Amino acid sequence: MSASKPVILHAETLDFDKDAGTLKAGLLSTSADENPPLRVDQVVVILRPSPSAQPVIVGLIEHDTAASSPFQLVAIQTPADIPEQLSSVPRVAQLPTHLARGARGGGRRVVDYVVSTKAGTGRALQFWEAVLRPLLRSASQSLAQDTEPDRVVVTESDDCVREYARGEHAAGPRTVVLLSGDGGVVDLLNSSEHPPTSQGATLPTIVLIPLGTGNALFNSLHKPLLTGPSELVLALRTLLNGVAAPLPTFKASFPPGSRIVKYMSKETSGGAETPKSETAAQEQLYRQETEVGHLYGSIVASYGFHASIVYESDTPAYRAHGSARFGMVAQELLKESHQYRAAIEIRRPGKEAALLERIARDKHAYVLSTLVSNLERTFTISPASRPLDGQLRLVHFEPVGPERTMEAMMKAYDNGKHVELEWDDGQRVHYDEFDELTIQAEDDDERWRKVCIDGTIVDIPKGGTVSVQREEEGHFNIAVDSRVL
């Protein structure tokens, strides 16, 4: 796939089609390719450093994912009045603090861009070339401010983000613009140094451009705004007009003998590509195990059905099926309806550290703790969660059979109504706030002793206990729309 060239227009007038709800530059004899119409929800920002300056209207057109050029940036500079229909579009007169080089009360801010080429369907590099880089140049020209990246990291392997995080970074304010899915945030959290403790130290800021599959963190942080603009339009608005706020995180601590488990490619350091067949997968992929004592997360810590889906979909038996593998794994797991054996305890908010409350059952189907509301844009796992509220919540239920499990999952797509489910025989979905969660895994077969931390799978030894607690000290700030604060 190739990157589209941005459309840069200079027009004395603007044409707004009220029937179609679209904006075009007022130019004669131009084709749709030369002067594409923009819907209001495709307009990213209006750049205007002063009332006397000519505004620049910036829009993003997203084509079908199968298109050779899925993104097109449109910029229209005009002396004309801005149509009232664009009143909801952010006006930007200067770069936000997380992009501005002239730091306030400190040294020069460093702004790095990390392009995760294997995230989602592999569109990050195209987005960088077709949209983000020309947008930065347009913002620099319009606002007369420096937007040149200090560093651009285009990933070539699964370790690139982690290597970047572990590398040397100049002291002072730093922003990481991450073109990635949730995995990029996980890598930053678990590969960076512990949060600065010196007085006046500034946490680095993440600006997330969501190019993954589920984009749980971005969708949850922007949930109140997911009513029209696409995720990428909202992300660009946040980049150019957002504010930084502390990113809530948790720490998952593991017993001795715990191992991160993932499948890697023998043929390349670039991670595991999708093999063409199951036989090819068996030949191409190998199981990599790494001892681990703890992991940090900002999204989910799960055990049971959810963790099994994430783990088994990565195995050679399913990798050859691409994105369809997740549904295939879920169906197979529903057929088995394994009863996960574990002793689970929670400490409710406000209780003393020693007051852990045992969940009154030894067999489980679904145990998922989270700091966010959504695992996908339309899959609301925790309806009470609000952006950045920092409250850990637990969704859990006993073995209820495949039909009821599927019913609960479908209800999550209905604005999180699964948490209200209760069946006639008393079985129900439980939904609790907590400050600490412990899981003692008791299954004999290691297949069922898996924990998922933001997509990373950890194998727990039999009898070992995992502990999940909210981190009080921040690791990163994250850029959000000010309206969610």
Side-chain angles (χ1 to χ4, degrees):
M1 291 188 287
S2 60
S4 297
K5 292 183 178 179
V7 176
I8 311 296
L9 300 170
H10 298 269
E12 291 296 318
T13 61
L14 297 171
D15 296 334
F16 191 87
D17 186 330
K18 293 183 179 180
D19 293 330
T22 57
L23 175 77
K24 291 177 62 176
L27 300 173
L28 297 175
S29 303
T30 54
S31 68
D33 290 337
E34 298 170 325
N35 185 12
L38 289 171
R39 300 193 313 268
V40 173
D41 61 8
Q42 293 175 322
V43 180
V44 176
V45 292
I46 299 171
L47 302 171
R48 193 173 196 175
S50 69
S52 61
Q54 289 190 2
V56 177
I57 300 169
V58 180
L60 172 64
I61 298 174
E62 299 170 62
H63 301 292
D64 186 271
T65 54
S68 60
S69 301
F71 309 112
Q72 186 169 44
L73 185 73
V74 179
I76 306 171
Q77 182 173 358
T78 180
D81 293 335
I82 302 298
E84 62 180 14
Q85 289 85 354
L86 301 188
S87 61
S88 63
V89 175
R91 269 66 169 168
V92 175
Q94 62 180 5
L95 295 176
T97 302
H98 57 259
L99 286 187
R101 293 292 201 257
R104 301 167 185 173
R108 177 184 180 277
R109 176 173 291 274
V110 171
V111 183
D112 295 337
Y113 291 77
V114 178
V115 183
S116 183
T117 59
K118 296 188 180 296
T121 56
R123 301 183 301 159
L125 184 56
Q126 281 184 302
F127 190 84
W128 167 250
E129 293 175 344
V131 178
L132 190 48
R133 184 133 216 181
L135 173 60
L136 293 173
R137 291 171 178 154
S138 181
S140 177
Q141 294 170 1
S142 299
L143 305 178
Q145 290 182 270
D146 180 14
T147 62
E148 188 64 23
D150 288 278
R151 185 178 177 190
V152 178
V153 178
V154 179
T155 65
E156 297 178 352
S157 75
D158 284 353
D159 290 326
C160 276
V161 177
R162 292 188 287 271
E163 289 171 358
Y164 163 80
R166 288 191 292 261
E168 292 186 8
H169 299 284
R174 179 166 62 100
T175 294
V176 183
V177 182
L178 188 60
L179 287 73
S180 173
D182 297 317
V185 179
V186 176
D187 287 343
L188 287 179
L189 280 175
N190 286 289
S191 303
S192 301
E193 293 183 1
H194 284 291
T197 54
S198 59
Q199 188 173 5
T202 303
L203 291 176
T205 296
I206 296 171
V207 182
L208 184 57
I209 309 295
L211 287 156
T213 303
N215 300 312
L217 181 59
F218 183 88
N219 283 321
S220 296
L221 291 175
H222 292 79
K223 183 169 183 173
L225 310 176
L226 295 175
T227 56
S230 70
E231 295 169 8
L232 292 173
V233 168
L234 287 174
L236 294 178
R237 288 180 178 180
T238 297
L239 172 72
L240 293 172
N241 195 50
V243 296
L247 173 65
T249 56
F250 62 83
K251 181 178 181 179
S253 301
F254 306 108
S258 299
R259 299 158 297 158
I260 294 175
V261 178
K262 60 181 177 180
Y263 287 85
M264 301 292 290
S265 173
K266 300 174 184 177
E267 300 176 2
T268 172
S269 62
E273 303 285 353
T274 300
K276 295 181 179 179
S277 68
E278 185 175 334
T279 301
Q282 297 287 355
E283 295 174 351
Q284 178 181 332
L285 304 178
Y286 70 95
R287 178 177 166 122
Q288 182 185 80
E289 298 184 0
T290 308
E291 291 187 5
V292 64
H294 68 268
L295 286 172
Y296 298 104
S298 60
I299 302 167
V300 63
S302 73
Y303 162 83
F305 184 71
H306 177 270
S308 290
I309 290 177
V310 176
Y311 166 65
E312 304 217 353
S313 64
D314 195 45
T315 60
Y318 287 99
R319 274 304 275 272
H321 299 283
S323 60
R325 68 189 188 272
F326 299 105
M328 296 170 65
V329 169
Q331 289 300 321
E332 288 301 314
L333 289 171
L334 286 172
K335 289 178 185 177
E336 291 191 63
S337 289
H338 179 72
Q339 299 185 14
Y340 297 82
R341 295 174 53 210
I344 298 179
E345 296 181 324
I346 62 172
R347 176 165 56 85
R348 298 186 185 276
K351 299 294 183 181
E352 296 180 5
L355 294 179
L356 285 167
E357 176 184 322
R358 175 76 176 264
I359 291 178
R361 60 175 182 270
D362 296 321
K363 295 180 180 179
H364 313 267
Y366 195 91
V367 180
L368 185 146
S369 63
T370 184
L371 278 170
V372 303
S373 60
N374 285 53
L375 299 187
E376 302 169 10
R377 181 164 179 154
T378 58
F379 188 88
T380 304
I381 191 63
S382 178
S385 296
R386 298 292 178 266
L388 303 170
D389 69 5
Q391 178 61 61
L392 282 161
R393 292 177 171 87
L394 181 67
V395 178
H396 59 105
F397 53 88
E398 64 189 292
V400 294
E403 292 81 11
R404 289 181 176 182
T405 299
M406 182 56 72
E407 181 184 358
M409 296 299 97
M410 291 300 100
K411 287 284 188 181
Y413 284 102
D414 187 13
N415 295 315
K417 291 182 180 177
H418 61 295
V419 300
E420 304 168 1
L421 265 180
E422 183 170 359
W423 292 278
D424 292 341
D425 58 4
Q427 290 185 326
R428 67 185 181 93
V429 174
H430 298 262
Y431 186 41
D432 301 294
E433 294 184 355
F434 73 93
D435 284 344
E436 181 180 2
L437 165 70
T438 66
I439 303 170
Q440 183 175 348
E442 297 291 358
D443 269 293
D444 293 325
D445 188 344
E446 71 158 2
R447 177 188 178 192
W448 309 116
R449 297 195 309 268
K450 300 293 187 286
V451 173
C452 173
I453 308 297
D454 287 8
T456 298
I457 292 297
V458 179
D459 182 74
I460 308 300
K462 183 180 179 181
T465 299
V466 181
S467 173
V468 177
Q469 295 187 69
R470 163 79 191 276
E471 281 282 279
E472 296 301 326
E473 293 289 334
H475 292 239
F476 285 88
N477 290 327
I478 192 158
V480 296
D481 190 294
S482 61
R483 291 173 292 176
V484 307
L485 296 178

